Amino acid sequence: MSIMREEIKNNMISTKELFESQPEWAEKRDRAVKKLFNGNLNDFNQFLSRIEPLQEWKEAMDVIEDEFSKRKIRPDGKEATGLTDVLFKRYFPSY
């Protein structure tokens, strides 16, 4: 692992901290749980646990796309886009 990759890994915020870092992101999380995961917080947390160890956005996006496909979620829907946007910030915080 390169020094830069190790530095990124050490500075990456957890998904839980990410959603709690801004009120609007917590709202997007809550809407995602309600609309995309049928109100099942456990399913949502299991989904996040699959993303948590991933160090690359491409890997995270693969998990997101897999989950959306499994649940028959349109990736361009409001809640899906909101969830994806927040998770993107974990990998690219300056955007």
Side-chain angles (χ1 to χ4, degrees):
M1 183 179 298
S2 71
I3 293 172
M4 179 174 268
R5 192 173 299 263
E6 184 66 30
E7 184 177 317
I8 290 169
K9 178 181 177 184
N10 291 335
N11 291 327
M12 191 174 292
I13 188 170
S14 75
T15 55
K16 181 178 181 189
E17 290 172 314
L18 177 71
F19 282 106
E20 293 174 353
S21 68
Q22 294 192 29
E24 67 208 51
W25 292 356
E27 290 173 21
K28 288 182 180 188
R29 175 201 57 214
D30 295 344
R31 281 197 303 270
V33 170
K34 182 178 180 181
K35 300 281 187 170
L36 306 179
F37 291 83
N38 298 316
N40 190 323
L41 184 58
N42 187 50
D43 284 355
F44 180 74
N45 287 334
Q46 286 179 359
F47 162 70
L48 290 182
S49 73
R50 292 174 45 214
I51 291 175
E52 192 66 39
L54 305 177
Q55 299 301 309
E56 301 288 331
W57 170 244
K58 167 79 172 91
E59 296 172 318
M61 197 61 217
D62 289 344
V63 170
I64 293 166
E65 288 173 348
D66 179 58
E67 190 71 25
F68 287 178
S69 175
K70 180 176 88 175
R71 294 178 175 276
K72 297 179 176 39
I73 294 169
R74 288 186 44 215
D76 61 342
K78 181 179 179 180
E79 286 79 15
T81 302
L83 175 60
T84 303
D85 288 349
V86 174
L87 291 171
F88 178 84
K89 291 289 190 182
R90 179 173 190 245
Y91 296 90
F92 301 99
S94 61
Y95 282 94

